[in-house]
Amino acid sequence: MNQYDLKDKVAIITGARRGIGEGIALMFAANGAKVVVTDIDEKDCQRVVDKIAKEGGKGLALELDVTNEKNIQKVVKRVVSEYGRIDILVNNAGIFIQEELDKMEVSTIDKMLNVNLRGVLLCTKYVIPEMKQQNYGKIINIASIAGFVSFDLSGVYCATKGAIVNLTRELAMELSKYRINVNAVAPGVIETPMTENLRSDKGIADVLLSKIPYGRYGIPKDIANAAAFLVSDDSDYITGQTVVVDGGWTIY
Ligand SMILES: NC(=O)c1ccc[n+]([C@@H]2O[C@H](COP(=O)([O-])OP(=O)(O)OC[C@H]3O[C@@H](n4cnc5c(N)ncnc54)[C@H](O)[C@@H]3O)[C@@H](O)[C@H]2O)c1
């Protein structure tokens, strides 16, 4: 699996105890990175780190709630003291709640904004100073095709993912002079716990699959491949872009 040279790059991945984040963690580690696997539950992160170690890779499990500013600062400090630098940040943590906007509790709206958007802003804010100092960094934001097209009963989610696409452009502009690349990956429907309810409902599954020219859902590895390329030095001249990985959903 060693396609990209990530040897000894230090990568923090948020929301990485399962799903797409776990897929990215395993892929980066297989390509030589030292991976800091973070999520709200440290025990689950350790499970991913154990998998990494079993395959000969290097990893560190840390609890990180992206809505908690102090927690973010603590993790950044810890990683710098452990490894001396931060080369890569993957803002992957996200939540997806479907409901008509007029029926949605304000607390639910706030929660989605906090994790999917404010969390990305804060994690990035506290990692940037390290990357500026190094004059090197790769930031990947996990957006969604919901940032480009509508998705059923998902106004708030779509708003957060659209914001991520545009944040990626702006930050790339702001940080290019420090040789910090900022790109996003926009997945289609991927086989993870997030989409389990949708995929296990035959009626919904038929509609979803009918929208995917490639004829199957994505898997975490599909997203991890794009992310690994975007954090490797092979893609240095790509910044501010969102790579859509959706089996063709958005080409209609
Ligand atoms: N699965 C898909 O079809 C799909 C499609 C497009 C975009 N995405 C995006 O990909 C990312 C990963 O999603 P996934 O499918 O792996 O979902 P998932 O639910 O399997 O994983 C999301 C992870 O984020 C973590 N998380 C939630 N709140 C957090 C917080 N406050 N702090 C830290 N971590 C937190 C969860 O614990 C979980 O491990 C999300 O940003 C999601 O919006 C997923």
Side-chain angles (χ1 to χ4, degrees):
M1 226 212 273
N2 197 351
Q3 290 166 279
Y4 304 102
D5 185 9
L6 304 184
K7 191 163 167 23
D8 291 332
K9 300 283 189 208
V10 177
I12 300 178
I13 307 172
T14 68
R17 72 185 165 121
R18 67 183 198 196
I20 290 172
E22 176 180 5
I24 293 173
L26 297 175
M27 175 74 73
F28 284 11
N31 285 276
K34 295 171 183 161
V35 182
V36 185
V37 178
T38 75
D39 206 306
I40 43 179
D41 184 326
E42 192 173 333
K43 253 199 276 149
D44 280 352
C45 293
Q46 190 55 52
R47 189 185 54 77
V48 177
V49 168
D50 291 345
K51 258 197 211 174
I52 288 173
K54 224 170 151 189
E55 286 165 23
K58 295 177 195 126
L60 172 68
L62 292 179
E63 187 175 302
L64 173 59
D65 176 347
V66 300
T67 67
N68 182 330
E69 184 183 2
K70 290 221 153 46
N71 194 178
I72 297 169
Q73 290 172 289
K74 202 172 135 196
V75 165
V76 168
K77 253 197 186 154
R78 173 78 202 280
V79 175
V80 172
S81 82
E82 182 88 20
Y83 293 125
R85 54 188 293 120
I86 301 171
D87 298 296
I88 297 165
L89 169 67
V90 181
N91 288 305
N92 166 77
I95 54 173
F96 172 61
I97 300 161
Q98 285 179 296
E99 202 173 0
E100 286 162 276
L101 183 57
D102 58 318
K103 311 254 165 63
M104 191 177 267
E105 296 286 344
V106 172
S107 60
T108 306
I109 296 174
D110 287 344
K111 197 171 171 202
M112 243 187 300
L113 292 174
N114 268 334
V115 178
N116 295 7
L117 183 54
R118 184 174 176 273
V120 174
L121 290 166
L122 291 194
C123 290
T124 307
K125 169 182 165 57
Y126 285 110
V127 164
I128 286 173
E130 298 305 324
M131 292 183 167
K132 275 187 176 173
Q133 233 182 57
Q134 301 161 183
N135 221 33
Y136 181 91
K138 304 273 187 181
I139 298 170
I140 301 289
N141 298 321
I142 303 301
S144 169
I145 54 169
F148 297 104
V149 295
S150 66
F151 205 85
D152 208 22
L153 303 179
S154 304
V156 181
Y157 184 78
C158 288
T160 62
K161 295 302 184 178
I164 292 303
V165 170
N166 224 20
L167 171 68
T168 300
R169 290 193 190 103
E170 197 287 333
L171 276 181
M173 183 78 89
E174 199 173 309
L175 298 173
S176 274
K177 60 175 172 291
Y178 302 102
R179 290 292 171 264
I180 300 171
N181 293 53
V182 188
N183 289 293
V185 179
V189 179
I190 311 301
E191 288 178 12
T192 71
M194 182 178 275
T195 57
E196 207 168 322
N197 284 348
L198 300 175
R199 288 180 291 107
S200 59
D201 180 313
K202 169 99 174 72
I204 297 175
D206 286 347
V207 173
L208 294 177
L209 285 168
S210 76
K211 294 187 179 200
I212 306 172
Y214 209 73
R216 67 160 173 86
Y217 301 118
I219 56 173
K221 200 174 158 199
D222 293 318
I223 307 306
N225 268 313
F229 171 62
L230 289 172
V231 300
S232 75
D233 293 341
D234 292 337
S235 61
D236 273 353
Y237 205 54
I238 302 175
T239 196
Q241 303 304 312
T242 298
V243 176
V244 176
V245 185
D246 67 351
W249 180 304
T250 51
I251 58 184
Y252 286 103

